Amino acid sequence: MSGTTSWIAGAFVERPNRFVVVVDLEDGRRVRAHLPNTGRLTHLTTPGRRYLLRPAEDPTRKTRFTAIRAWDGCWVALEAWRAPALLADWLAGHELPGFGPVAYVHREVPFGRHRIDLVATASDGPVLVEVKSGGRASAGSALLSQTPSTRAAGQLAALGAAAAAGQAAMVAFVVQRPDVDELLIGGDADQGWVADVTAAAAVGVHVVAYGCAVTPESVRIDRRLPVRWLA
């Protein structure tokens, strides 16, 4: 997914709650902006860090801006909710790893008590695909989140049950930054995340990762990343 949008630059001040950041704009104003990412983001929420904000289209919204990028030696996209659409766009012209070319993709498909992000119909039939956004990195490796998620745990367990019953299933990590060349499973990530991904893989859920090209104006998947598991 890509597109041109207006934005304004500023410097991060504080994060008073999960959904709001305070930013000093270059024109001297101090504003509150919606943060569309519930991760801890400790690596991106340090005072003075450069942020890009997009003005809100709804004039009645409490926060008149949305934080869309943070600088971490490169631009990191903050809009985690875009990850499924980014992958759906990528799959329109690429194979699904292990399953061949994709004929079409359905979004937000009910599946038991959950909704699966994507159901991709490939050469051998439908594949359930749960998509997770990432933005942490160290020394060229993308890292799993440090933020526990009971919702993600339930989704991965459901994927695992489906895979164990013979349904093709996959979890795809979309890393919304350009400076990584692999996804690392382990390290300082939340151990619940590591355990849940490992358990899903053990029963047949495919684990894949993608990297993105990110500019102030756009973000798009541009490559597949290898996945490396720490012992």
Side-chain angles (χ1 to χ4, degrees):
M1 176 180 293
S2 63
T4 301
T5 184
S6 59
W7 49 265
I8 186 168
F12 176 87
V13 177
E14 63 177 342
R15 184 184 186 181
N17 61 57
R18 284 201 305 166
F19 303 103
V20 172
V21 291
V22 177
V23 175
D24 282 341
L25 300 182
E26 291 181 342
D27 63 10
R29 288 179 293 164
R30 174 166 289 188
V31 301
R32 292 164 63 90
H34 170 60
L35 180 63
N37 194 311
T38 58
R40 288 178 178 165
L41 304 183
T42 53
H43 61 302
L44 298 177
T45 51
T46 53
R49 184 174 297 276
R50 193 174 187 216
Y51 266 54
L52 301 182
L53 309 183
R54 182 176 60 233
E57 295 181 359
D58 181 359
T60 66
R61 209 178 76 172
K62 289 184 178 180
T63 50
R64 300 299 300 274
F65 296 89
T66 298
I68 61 169
R69 304 283 187 273
W71 184 258
D72 191 32
C74 62
W75 286 118
V76 181
L78 297 173
E79 296 169 294
W81 60 271
R82 290 190 183 276
L86 293 172
L87 183 56
D89 285 351
W90 170 265
L91 291 178
H94 297 83
E95 293 189 355
L96 194 64
F99 299 102
V102 175
Y104 50 87
V105 176
H106 292 294
R107 298 275 310 276
E108 291 290 326
V109 178
F111 180 70
R113 296 180 300 164
H114 305 278
R115 296 183 73 85
I116 294 296
D117 288 323
L118 306 175
V119 176
T121 299
S123 304
D124 295 329
V127 182
L128 307 180
V129 185
E130 190 64 33
V131 185
K132 301 300 178 188
S133 177
R136 296 180 64 231
S138 176
S141 298
L143 307 172
L144 294 183
S145 175
Q146 291 181 311
T147 307
S149 174
T150 55
R151 180 172 179 270
Q155 291 167 333
L156 288 169
L159 275 186
Q167 170 65 55
M170 173 179 292
V171 57
F173 292 90
V174 175
V175 184
Q176 295 195 55
R177 57 186 300 154
D179 62 342
V180 294
D181 51 27
E182 67 173 2
L183 172 67
L184 189 64
I185 309 293
D188 67 349
D190 172 69
Q191 291 307 297
W193 266 107
V194 175
D196 293 337
V197 174
T198 302
V203 294
V205 176
H206 291 244
V207 180
V208 300
Y210 298 88
C212 291
V214 182
T215 71
E217 293 79 19
S218 68
V219 54
R220 61 180 176 84
I221 292 175
D222 66 350
R223 66 203 185 281
R224 185 180 168 197
L225 301 173
V227 178
R228 181 162 65 94
W229 301 73
L230 285 180

